[in-house]
């Protein structure tokens, strides 16, 4: 194969080297395009733009492949757990037993919130969205750890192991405390003898007078949701994290921005939107068929369907679909909205509109259903996604900081007014 690509602009030919990825992906390296030709590339939505070289996660959307650090998601879902996979994402390799134990310990040691931090949780409007609270509190957490949020890459990198453990732990505590504050419930302290998910569930839903470990099946289901969300290469929130990090910002600021990006309904907010959609369909007396028609003629969007990268199936959805069925059976949950979900899935998968556009259920279609069954309120679904995605954001922050990457600064094609003279207000 040729080692370079030629681009003809007008009568000029320009040669650009090719970059080959370890999974045989080819990219045309256009870094010198503007200086050589004064042209830039235009790729609205970045669907064809490689923004970086990364070693964290591999996706082949055509084949439905997802691997963290080379490990297939199916194997991790079956044999690993969230914290072990998080370690692999952060450090590139699966941990030894000792490494995993000390990683776990560091995480459980960091579960508490400083008193003023905890008080800060009461400063938000009573109906503030939990994602707004989470994003603000993550940045706030950084202010309590100035030695970890210096905006000096070298120093922030030196503190990275502690920062990562702190954030992975405290994000749960913030989410659980925020949930209980809204319900007027007293906080439940972390119990380090419980696993990551069990401790989180207890801090969230536990009875302070009668603490009981949460059911094993529920812990396993949540663990799987976290693991399946842990990274997804250059998605909107991860790209945001990397963009902020590229300017030299510390981990807390970069993760806080990523949480803001995740909030949107076309990204992490889709799991909430799925349940809202299913409830609306149910309340309108439709079994889903009318909604499908509306989605086909562009009046509605079938939330939890379609993906920018997966054009075959979303491997996470395949795994979660099975786990979702098992967990619902175990929990004895049956609900009319679940029937609607199954009907939508069946109809959409056999409908030409969805087949032609390669629209399949994505991970959020099933995670919403599962989180609802576990008992999380709708407005907390995206918070759960954020807790799961945190190891990914952290890994990408680390990668960009270690690579010494340049500040990210895209160009634009200006389409506004050309030069004109200022007109005084009286003459307008
Ligand atoms: N329902 C109905 N039609 C759709 C849908 C959908 N969910 N998704 C895409 N289409 C149609 C779209 O109207 C367009 O049709 P046409 O070619 O006739 O104009 C075609 O499919 C291509 O759509 P697109 O919007 O250009 O595709 P995209 O790659 O820009 O968008 C997406 C990807 C995920 C934003 C989109 O599929 C969507 O809005 N899905 C629903 C929201 C959702 O579930 N998001 C979660 C994604 S998974 C979690 C994550 O990674 O964040």
């Amino acid at each position: 194969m040729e080692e370079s690509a030629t681009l003809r602009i007008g009568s000029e030919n320009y040669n650009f080297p090719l970059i080959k990825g370890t999974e045989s992906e080819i990219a045309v390296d256009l870094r010198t395009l503007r200086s050589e030709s004064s042209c830039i590339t235009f790729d609205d939505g970045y669907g064809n733009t490689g923004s970086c070289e990364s070693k964290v996660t591999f996706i082949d959307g055509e084949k439905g492949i997802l691997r963290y650090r080379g490990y297939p998601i199916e194997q991790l879902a079956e044999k690993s757990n969230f914290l072990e996979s998080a370690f692999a994402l952060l450090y590139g390799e699966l941990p030894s037993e000792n490494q995993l134990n000390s990683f776990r310990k560091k995480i459980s040691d960091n579960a508490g919130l400083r008193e003023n931090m905890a008080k800060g949780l009461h400063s938000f409007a009573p109906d503030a969205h939990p994602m707004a609270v989470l994003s603000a509190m993550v940045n706030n957490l950084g202010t309590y750890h100035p030695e970890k949020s210096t905006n000096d890459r070298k120093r922030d990198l030196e503190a990275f192991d502690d920062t990562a453990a702190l954030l992975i732990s405290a994000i749960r505590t913030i989410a659980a405390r925020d949930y209980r504050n809204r319900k007027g419930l007293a906080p439940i302290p972390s119990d380090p003898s419980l696993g990551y998910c069990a401790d989180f569930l207890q801090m969230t839903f536990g009875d302070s007078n009668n603490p009981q470990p949460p059911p094993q099946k529920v812990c396993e289901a949540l663990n799987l949701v976290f693991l399946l969300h842990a990274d997804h290469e250059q998605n909107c929130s991860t790209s945001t994290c990397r963009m902020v990090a590229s300017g030299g910002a510390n981990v807390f600021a970069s993760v806080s921005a990523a949480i803001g990006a995740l909030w949107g309904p076309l990204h992490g907010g889709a799991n909430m939107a799925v349940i809202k959609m299913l409830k609306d369909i149910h309340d309108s007396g439709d079994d889903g068929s009318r909604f499908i028609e509306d989605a086909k003629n562009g009046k509605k969007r079938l939330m939890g369907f379609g993906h920018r990268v997966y054009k075959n199936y979303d491997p996470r959805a395949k795994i979660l679909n099975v786990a979702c069925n098992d967990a619902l059976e175990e929990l004895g949950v049956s609900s009319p909205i679940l029937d609607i979900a199954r009907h939508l899935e069946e109809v959409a998968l056999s409908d030409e509109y969805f087949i032609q556009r390669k629209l399949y259920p994505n991970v959020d279609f099933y995670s919403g259903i599962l989180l609802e069954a576990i008992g999380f309120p709708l407005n907390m679904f995206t918070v759960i996604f954020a807790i799961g995605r945190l190891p990914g954001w952290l890994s990408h922050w680390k990668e960009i900081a270690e690579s010494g990457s340049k500040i990210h600064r895209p160009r634009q094609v200006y389409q506004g007014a050309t030069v004109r003279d200022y007109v005084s207000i009286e003459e307008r």
Side-chain angles (χ1 to χ4, degrees):
M1 194 186 137
E2 293 289 330
E3 294 299 310
S4 67
T6 305
L7 180 64
R8 191 172 178 81
I9 304 174
S11 56
E12 293 292 328
N13 282 337
Y14 301 92
N15 272 325
F16 299 99
L18 300 180
I19 297 179
K20 196 168 170 193
T22 53
E23 291 286 349
S24 306
E25 272 176 326
I26 308 285
V28 184
D29 180 350
L30 292 173
R31 277 176 286 189
T32 57
L33 173 65
R34 189 168 170 278
S35 60
E36 286 183 25
S37 70
S38 78
C39 282
I40 59 170
T41 58
F42 179 69
D43 184 18
D44 187 18
Y46 308 128
N48 297 288
T49 296
S51 62
C52 60
E53 292 180 84
S54 177
K55 294 185 172 145
V56 182
T57 285
F58 173 69
I59 299 177
D60 183 332
E62 308 303 326
K63 297 192 183 132
I65 292 174
L66 168 62
R67 297 181 201 136
Y68 298 162
R69 299 285 186 182
Y71 301 110
I73 194 68
E74 294 79 8
Q75 290 184 23
L76 294 173
E78 190 194 333
K79 299 177 179 163
S80 182
N81 57 55
F82 175 57
L83 287 191
E84 189 186 59
S85 297
F87 185 101
L89 281 168
L90 289 167
Y91 300 110
E93 299 295 333
L94 286 168
S96 67
E97 202 173 343
N98 280 347
Q99 284 172 322
L100 184 58
N101 287 340
S102 60
F103 185 58
R104 281 211 177 103
K105 176 158 178 358
K106 220 171 188 174
I107 286 171
S108 40
D109 286 350
N110 274 293
L113 290 186
R114 300 217 188 145
E115 204 185 319
N116 277 347
M117 257 288 294
K119 277 191 196 147
L121 272 167
H122 292 279
S123 68
F124 293 89
D127 56 356
H129 194 285
M131 285 295 278
V133 174
L134 193 69
S135 173
M137 291 302 282
V138 162
N139 230 338
N140 192 7
L141 185 64
T143 67
Y144 286 86
H145 296 271
E147 75 294 349
K148 298 185 179 70
S149 52
T150 63
N151 288 353
D152 171 335
R153 261 189 191 163
K154 192 167 168 285
R155 287 169 67 200
D156 287 345
L157 263 174
E158 278 162 13
F160 181 81
D161 294 353
D162 291 341
T163 307
L166 169 69
L167 270 166
I168 291 173
S169 194
I171 196 170
R172 263 177 332 170
T173 319
I174 294 168
R177 294 278 292 250
D178 184 37
Y179 170 86
R180 291 184 79 83
N181 286 349
R182 287 162 199 271
K183 301 221 160 248
L185 298 168
I188 295 186
S190 159
D191 176 351
S193 71
L194 298 175
Y196 184 84
C197 292
D199 196 14
F200 171 53
L201 286 164
Q202 170 141 300
M203 283 195 281
T204 309
F205 299 121
D207 177 349
S208 41
N209 298 319
N210 182 23
Q212 298 272 347
Q216 183 64 16
K217 275 281 162 195
V218 176
C219 299
E220 282 168 15
L222 185 61
N223 180 67
L224 187 63
V225 170
F226 285 154
L227 186 151
L228 293 175
H229 283 86
D231 193 43
H232 213 229
E233 51 120 301
Q234 310 308 322
N235 57 85
C236 175
S237 56
T238 302
S239 299
T240 302
C241 180
R242 290 186 75 117
M243 171 75 87
V244 178
S246 79
N250 66 72
V251 186
F252 300 88
S254 307
V255 168
S256 169
I259 293 171
L262 186 73
W263 190 357
L266 298 186
H267 189 15
N271 53 15
M272 262 176 81
V274 167
I275 298 297
K276 267 178 98 172
M277 170 189 78
L278 294 174
K279 287 187 171 158
D280 286 350
I281 294 174
H282 177 253
D283 294 347
S284 70
D286 179 16
D287 68 349
S289 312
R290 219 165 48 224
F291 193 93
I292 293 271
E293 286 313 306
D294 283 350
K296 283 162 60 174
N297 55 39
K299 286 193 204 148
K300 299 260 168 69
R301 203 148 251 237
L302 185 52
M303 300 313 285
F305 264 71
H307 200 276
R308 169 60 63 82
V309 179
Y310 295 122
K311 300 299 175 196
N312 179 330
Y313 63 89
D314 178 343
R316 305 166 301 171
K318 211 173 184 180
I319 298 166
L320 209 55
N321 183 9
V322 177
C324 186
N325 281 337
D326 290 354
L328 295 180
E329 207 179 304
E330 179 80 21
L331 292 166
V333 173
S334 67
S335 94
I337 66 159
L338 197 62
D339 298 339
I340 292 171
R342 294 293 180 221
H343 181 64
L344 284 177
E345 186 188 6
E346 201 184 306
V347 174
L349 288 176
S350 57
D351 189 295
E352 257 326 286
Y353 173 94
F354 294 90
I355 295 169
Q356 259 179 21
R357 289 168 182 74
K358 301 186 170 155
L359 301 171
Y360 297 87
N362 59 50
V363 69
D364 288 330
F365 192 70
Y366 302 108
S367 66
I369 296 169
L370 191 54
L371 296 178
E372 158 112 341
I374 294 176
F376 286 106
L378 196 60
N379 66 2
M380 217 177 148
F381 287 12
T382 318
V383 168
I384 303 298
F385 190 155
I387 298 175
R389 183 55 54 87
L390 178 60
W393 293 330
L394 292 168
S395 309
H396 286 274
W397 186 95
K398 183 165 177 266
E399 188 171 74
I400 208 162
E402 283 174 344
S403 73
S405 156
K406 284 186 178 186
I407 188 165
H408 291 190
R409 202 321 189 165
R411 296 271 172 175
Q412 63 168 10
V413 179
Y414 178 67
Q415 300 286 18
T418 52
V419 66
R420 50 186 169 165
D421 287 327
Y422 178 81
V423 180
S424 70
I425 198 156
E426 299 79 25
E427 291 174 50
R428 275 178 234 157

